[in-house]
Amino acid sequence: MTTINGITADQLRSIVERIERLEQDKANIAADVKDVYAEAKGNGYDTKALRSIIKLRKLEAAEREEQEYMLDVYMRAMGMLPELD
Amino acid sequence: MTTINGITADQLRSIVERIERLEQDKANIAADVKDVYAEAKGNGYDTKALRSIIKLRKLEAAEREEQEYMLDVYMRAMGMLPELD
Amino acid sequence: MTTINGITADQLRSIVERIERLEQDKANIAADVKDVYAEAKGNGYDTKALRSIIKLRKLEAAEREEQEYMLDVYMRAMGMLPELD
Amino acid sequence: MTTINGITADQLRSIVERIERLEQDKANIAADVKDVYAEAKGNGYDTKALRSIIKLRKLEAAEREEQEYMLDVYMRAMGMLPELD
DNA sequence: CGGACAAGTTTGCCAC
DNA sequence: GTGGCAAACTTGTCCG
């Protein structure tokens, strides 16, 4: 078998195809998102406002996560939870 | 029912949730792509070269697509295809 | 001399003016491009086809460039070119 | 001479080259702008603030232009300037 | 005016 | 950790 540095053409092809497949899926979903916004717009929604809502909720989710993380840190510091390795 | 400009809270919630679900899917796929690159790197692949291959194939695909479009334009200009409505 | 964090008003003015001058030049050229398309349209050219030709040639150029880059990467991998510093 | 719908290959070539040349000039200037920002950053400037200044001045210039235009309109309405043809 | 296309801006990632 | 690079998102522009 043709091999360069322990890499076969089939392995390379497999990797490239996996990535391309995933990128395609990602693009499809991005198109779906666009469709949802377009549909919403057609139903009288202000897409700019919609995007703001989405962004705000994302920030809030990140903030919640951060708060939970801090709570965890404090509880460990106070010996209310086992130390991490 | 509480309605503002013909928009109900339920409709809004539905749209927001659909988008957030899609965005989540997209993020998951992006993470998968990252994993594939990381795995490839672990197997001795040069990720820079890999990305270059992907990019090149993407350019080739775009070029093919554009050529088909050009052919279509030319054939219409020469009356070999029906005009678009 | 009035200086804030080692920055003088004159330096700032100079930078802003350089950028604005360059942006103005860029806008002028963009207008020239518009003119060329308009003139071509007046002479019976299909601007959509023209733009397609430009786009196709751009894709070809990008592809050539990427291929040269790939060749370089491969040759380095095979020890046919010196490693970069 | 080979002619399609009164269009010669030379004419087409000329147009395409003119556009590509202009686009190249535009790209060069864009690169120059990037350089100026990079240089400014190296000298301790906050590029984000710089961009804000540029944007603000652009808005102010547009506003001044608008105000002059309105003044002109008013003066014409009051017979203080000759009517436009 | 609305939709497509391009430009600019921001964000995330990778290498150093 | 940082800084440059590339991708994504947003914004503005231009044509139909």
Side-chain angles (χ1 to χ4, degrees):
Chain A
M1 196 196 310
T2 303
T3 302
I4 299 177
N5 289 335
I7 294 169
T8 68
D10 280 353
Q11 286 175 338
L12 177 56
R13 186 190 323 277
S14 166
I15 291 171
V16 168
E17 283 173 1
R18 280 168 69 195
I19 293 173
E20 285 179 344
R21 173 64 193 277
L22 288 169
E23 293 289 359
Q24 184 59 54
D25 290 347
K26 194 148 63 80
N28 289 341
I29 294 178
D32 289 346
V33 172
K34 247 188 86 179
D35 287 347
V36 176
Y37 276 113
E39 180 194 335
K41 183 174 188 174
N43 290 333
Y45 287 88
D46 176 0
T47 57
K48 205 169 173 179
L50 270 182
R51 287 178 194 278
S52 288
I53 293 173
I54 304 286
K55 190 176 284 187
L56 185 56
R57 283 168 58 96
K58 202 172 173 182
L59 283 175
E60 283 167 353
E63 195 184 348
R64 257 195 311 279
E65 204 170 326
E66 176 66 15
Q67 284 172 355
E68 283 173 20
Y69 170 74
M70 287 306 295
L71 178 59
D72 193 83
V73 168
Y74 286 141
M75 290 179 73
R76 279 184 209 289
M78 294 179 162
M80 300 169 72
L81 284 174
E83 290 292 328
L84 291 176
D85 305 316
Chain B
M1 193 198 310
T2 304
T3 301
I4 300 176
N5 289 335
I7 293 171
T8 68
D10 280 354
Q11 286 175 340
L12 178 56
R13 185 189 322 278
S14 165
I15 290 171
V16 169
E17 283 173 359
R18 280 168 67 197
I19 293 172
E20 286 179 344
R21 173 65 195 276
L22 288 169
E23 293 289 0
Q24 185 58 55
D25 290 348
K26 195 148 65 76
N28 290 341
I29 293 178
D32 289 346
V33 171
K34 249 187 80 178
D35 288 346
V36 175
Y37 276 113
E39 181 195 333
K41 185 173 188 172
N43 289 332
Y45 286 87
D46 175 1
T47 58
K48 208 169 177 182
L50 266 183
R51 287 178 195 278
S52 188
I53 292 172
I54 304 285
K55 186 176 182 182
L56 189 52
R57 284 168 59 96
K58 204 172 173 182
L59 283 173
E60 285 167 355
E63 196 177 315
R64 263 195 305 278
E65 205 172 326
E66 190 66 22
Q67 280 170 352
E68 282 173 21
Y69 173 73
M70 282 288 306
L71 179 60
D72 195 81
V73 169
Y74 282 141
M75 289 180 75
R76 278 183 210 291
M78 295 179 169
M80 299 170 73
L81 283 175
E83 290 292 328
L84 293 175
D85 306 314
Chain C
M1 194 197 309
T2 303
T3 302
I4 299 176
N5 288 335
I7 293 170
T8 68
D10 281 353
Q11 286 175 340
L12 177 56
R13 185 189 321 279
S14 165
I15 291 171
V16 168
E17 283 173 0
R18 280 167 68 195
I19 292 173
E20 285 179 344
R21 172 66 193 277
L22 288 169
E23 293 289 359
Q24 186 56 56
D25 291 347
K26 193 147 66 75
N28 290 340
I29 294 178
D32 289 346
V33 171
K34 249 187 82 179
D35 288 346
V36 175
Y37 275 114
E39 179 194 336
K41 186 173 188 171
N43 289 332
Y45 286 88
D46 176 1
T47 58
K48 209 168 175 182
L50 266 183
R51 287 179 195 278
S52 187
I53 292 172
I54 303 285
K55 186 176 181 180
L56 189 52
R57 285 168 58 97
K58 205 171 172 181
L59 283 173
E60 284 167 356
E63 197 178 314
R64 262 195 306 277
E65 204 171 326
E66 190 66 22
Q67 279 169 352
E68 283 174 20
Y69 172 73
M70 281 289 304
L71 179 59
D72 195 82
V73 169
Y74 283 140
M75 289 179 76
R76 278 183 211 289
M78 294 180 172
M80 300 169 72
L81 284 175
E83 290 292 326
L84 292 175
D85 306 315
Chain D
M1 196 196 308
T2 303
T3 302
I4 298 176
N5 288 334
I7 294 170
T8 67
D10 280 352
Q11 286 175 339
L12 178 56
R13 186 190 322 278
S14 166
I15 291 171
V16 168
E17 282 174 0
R18 280 169 66 197
I19 293 172
E20 285 179 344
R21 172 65 193 275
L22 288 168
E23 294 288 359
Q24 184 58 56
D25 291 347
K26 194 148 65 79
N28 290 341
I29 294 179
D32 289 346
V33 172
K34 248 188 86 179
D35 287 347
V36 176
Y37 276 114
E39 179 194 335
K41 183 173 187 173
N43 290 332
Y45 286 87
D46 176 359
T47 58
K48 204 170 174 180
L50 269 182
R51 287 177 195 278
S52 290
I53 292 174
I54 304 285
K55 190 176 285 183
L56 184 56
R57 282 168 59 96
K58 201 172 173 182
L59 283 175
E60 284 168 354
E63 194 183 349
R64 259 195 309 279
E65 205 171 326
E66 176 65 15
Q67 284 173 354
E68 283 172 20
Y69 171 73
M70 288 306 295
L71 178 59
D72 194 83
V73 168
Y74 285 141
M75 291 178 74
R76 278 184 210 290
M78 294 179 164
M80 300 169 71
L81 284 175
E83 289 291 328
L84 292 175
D85 306 315

